[in-house]
Amino acid sequence: IGNRQTGSLFDNSLRQIPHVFTTDNGGVTWDEYPIGELVPDTVLTTPIDINFVNPNLGYMISIQGDIFKLAKSNSYDNLSFEPFTLLSPANGFALQLDDEVEDTLVIQWEAVNALRVWDQTNAGFFQDGFAHAGNGENGQGAYIGTEMGSSAQIVLPALNNASTLTFWASTYSNATDLLLQVEESSNGTTWNSIDSFEAVEGGTGDINLTWQQFTVQIPANATYIRFNATNVEAGAVYFDDVQVTNQSGDLIIDEDFEDWTGFMNLRYEFVLNDGTNADFDDPRIVIESDSSGRSPSLTLTPSALLELRNELNVDESDFHGIWTVRAKVGDLVSYPGFSSIHNHAISFTQPREVSIEEEIGVYAFELEQNYPNPFNPTTTIRYQLAEQSQIRVDVYTVTGQLVTTLADGVQPAGQHQLNFDASHLASGVYLYRLQTDLFTETRKMTLIK
């Protein structure tokens, strides 16, 4: 990336990045794609580093500490950017963890919704003799699909001015029983179904063992499209030869998966160093974000924070360090930045003291608010029992339909907690209830996907 007028690699007078050059042959030849103004009315004052992820899956670049994903379709005509920004603690203020580490700490950042590559949950890449070879026939090749017996999502690269989606689909066998929903989103967070297809045991549904082509019209405001396999009783569903055309009838996605080696997924990590050491390529502490690194948040419970203290060998004296979060795609690692704006202080003083109530074992019946709330897709429910009790903890819809029972049995007096995974549920408000012989309490929690 450079200034073609001056011939320099970087010019402090630039208020835009005038050109992007891409290569699909390892740098032997380059093609130019103008992208216009990136940062309006902002003078760029630091060098620009560009790193290539994979020519078949798109690119990620780092500019002034913010990371961006460069969209790439087979024809390179779908370029765009989106920043990765720390959201909470507000403005990335310093974390001061004193001697009363009693509250759960949640760090949140923007999801890299401009992840302009294919993404998945409980799905995989396959190469064998069951790929779609044309006209509904099987043949040797590559394709993608869901894991056996699991709910799953496959997200297409971000779209611009999309109009029509066509794809070929088949099932693992005629014993497959599931619902496939094609969903759209304008922000990558809230999803709406635009079409659905069934695989029914016995092969009588819309999708069966034979490859069939399906066409779905895409709403004008849709930026993201995903396949969402739900109500999975058995089997799996597979996809091949996926195409998306825009309003002009031009192909903006034309994927047969033959150049793939697998999904290249984004993962997030919290990283921490002693003092002011900003070398986060070799951090002292690395903690994967929630949901095995997939979630743009990290939940640190008091016990996790105390474990972190122990790992840092913190004694009675204070510990002072710096932290940030980073995103990883394949071998590429990018950060919010390396300046004081993007790195944040963290301090530990003394270990958490045990409360008098905990020390003498005095408790009351209490159901606490789940944390985090809202949540996606997991949350923790804590409660206290004043005495040994027969208990039951249930989750309901707001209409009173039982979703699941989290606990049912005799438990001793004291603090208890349960983890609730709502990855198979739709967004909305749910109720959770603690019931004993002497106490009943119900609270609300909100799932936002």
Side-chain angles (χ1 to χ4, degrees):
I1 299 178
N3 185 341
R4 302 190 75 199
Q5 283 68 45
T6 65
S8 63
L9 176 64
F10 190 81
D11 186 330
N12 284 345
S13 67
L14 286 179
R15 290 180 180 268
Q16 64 177 22
I17 298 181
H19 302 279
V20 168
F21 297 85
T22 61
T23 179
D24 58 5
N25 55 19
V28 178
T29 60
W30 294 76
D31 296 315
E32 178 184 348
Y33 297 91
I35 62 172
E37 195 170 54
L38 174 66
V39 188
D41 300 320
T42 300
V43 177
L44 305 181
T45 58
T46 57
I48 297 173
D49 298 320
I50 184 165
N51 298 288
F52 294 94
V53 181
N54 183 311
N56 293 314
L57 298 181
Y59 307 102
M60 179 177 285
I61 66 174
S62 175
I63 299 175
Q64 287 192 292
D66 288 331
I67 68 170
F68 299 87
K69 190 67 189 179
L70 216 63
K72 174 189 177 298
S73 68
N74 288 346
S75 56
Y76 290 95
D77 56 4
N78 189 25
L79 298 176
S80 60
F81 297 87
E82 186 156 329
F84 157 55
T85 305
L86 188 69
L87 297 178
S88 176
N91 301 319
F93 61 70
L95 304 179
Q96 182 70 32
L97 305 174
D98 57 19
D99 58 337
E100 295 184 358
V101 184
E102 296 179 338
D103 297 327
T104 296
L105 170 67
V106 178
I107 302 171
Q108 295 179 310
W109 51 94
E110 267 188 342
V112 183
N113 287 331
L115 176 61
R116 317 301 184 181
V117 296
W118 294 72
D119 198 12
Q120 58 81 24
T121 302
N122 296 332
F125 170 71
F126 307 94
Q127 287 181 302
D128 54 37
F130 296 99
H132 178 236
N135 298 320
E137 300 295 326
N138 291 342
Q140 190 68 35
Y143 56 102
I144 59 175
T146 65
E147 294 178 359
M148 290 288 294
S150 297
S151 297
Q153 295 82 40
I154 297 175
V155 185
L156 277 64
L159 306 171
N160 182 29
N161 197 31
S163 175
T164 304
L165 163 71
T166 60
F167 60 95
W168 289 79
S170 68
T171 60
Y172 174 77
S173 72
N174 282 336
T176 299
D177 193 337
L178 55 81
L179 174 66
L180 173 67
Q181 296 192 77
V182 180
E183 300 175 333
E184 64 84 21
S185 173
S186 60
N187 55 20
T189 302
T190 304
W191 295 88
N192 305 297
S193 178
I194 55 177
D195 212 337
S196 62
F197 308 93
E198 283 187 310
V200 179
E201 184 177 4
T204 59
D206 306 306
I207 312 172
N208 52 46
L209 187 59
T210 303
W211 285 103
Q212 298 178 76
Q213 189 176 43
F214 299 89
T215 300
V216 176
Q217 298 304 311
I218 301 174
N221 64 340
T223 303
Y224 303 95
I225 295 292
R226 75 176 182 183
F227 300 119
N228 186 13
T230 62
N231 300 341
V232 180
E233 298 294 334
V237 60
Y238 304 111
F239 307 93
D240 205 347
D241 295 322
V242 179
Q243 295 182 325
V244 176
T245 57
N246 61 19
Q247 300 289 341
S248 301
D250 301 322
L251 281 172
I252 54 177
I253 291 180
D254 185 10
E255 187 58 76
D256 61 7
F257 307 105
E258 294 303 321
D259 294 328
W260 278 36
T261 56
F263 282 97
M264 185 168 287
N265 300 313
L266 183 77
R267 292 294 181 268
Y268 300 105
E269 295 174 334
F270 169 88
V271 288
L272 181 151
N273 267 335
D274 303 272
T276 59
N277 178 15
D279 181 13
F280 288 110
D281 289 337
D282 186 24
R284 179 167 176 182
I285 299 293
V286 178
I287 302 176
E288 199 172 53
S289 76
D290 298 338
S291 301
S292 301
R294 297 186 59 83
S295 176
S297 65
L298 174 65
T299 304
L300 294 172
T301 62
S303 60
L305 289 168
L306 291 176
E307 183 179 337
L308 177 60
R309 282 179 49 89
N310 294 335
E311 193 169 349
L312 291 168
N313 297 319
V314 178
D315 52 24
E316 294 299 318
S317 63
D318 291 348
F319 168 84
H320 300 286
I322 58 174
W323 64 274
T324 188
V325 292
R326 66 186 183 186
K328 300 178 69 176
V329 178
D331 295 329
L332 176 67
V333 180
S334 291
Y335 303 87
F338 290 98
S339 70
S340 60
I341 297 174
H342 300 95
N343 294 332
H344 313 293
I346 183 169
S347 298
F348 286 99
T349 54
Q350 298 184 17
R352 177 190 175 194
E353 296 178 357
V354 177
S355 68
I356 295 176
E357 289 80 6
E358 291 174 315
E359 192 171 289
I360 65 176
V362 176
Y363 299 97
F365 286 110
E366 181 184 1
L367 176 62
E368 300 179 17
Q369 185 64 52
N370 66 299
Y371 199 94
N373 187 50
F375 67 98
N376 178 30
T378 60
T379 189
T380 299
I381 296 172
R382 296 184 177 86
Y383 55 94
Q384 289 186 28
L385 301 177
E387 60 186 52
Q388 178 173 295
S389 305
Q390 174 73 40
I391 70 102
R392 183 181 174 100
V393 179
D394 295 312
V395 177
Y396 297 89
T397 67
V398 290
T399 60
Q401 181 181 357
L402 178 65
V403 174
T404 187
T405 298
L406 298 178
D408 185 6
V410 176
Q411 293 187 350
Q415 298 271 3
H416 300 271
Q417 73 175 43
L418 299 167
N419 292 322
F420 175 51
D421 186 345
S423 55
H424 63 294
L425 297 175
S427 297
V429 176
Y430 293 86
L431 307 176
Y432 61 101
R433 183 175 70 180
L434 168 64
Q435 184 174 5
T436 76
D437 293 337
L438 301 174
F439 174 84
T440 298
E441 185 172 359
T442 302
R443 287 181 175 269
K444 294 180 180 180
M445 57 184 171
T446 304
L447 170 64
I448 300 178
K449 292 189 174 181

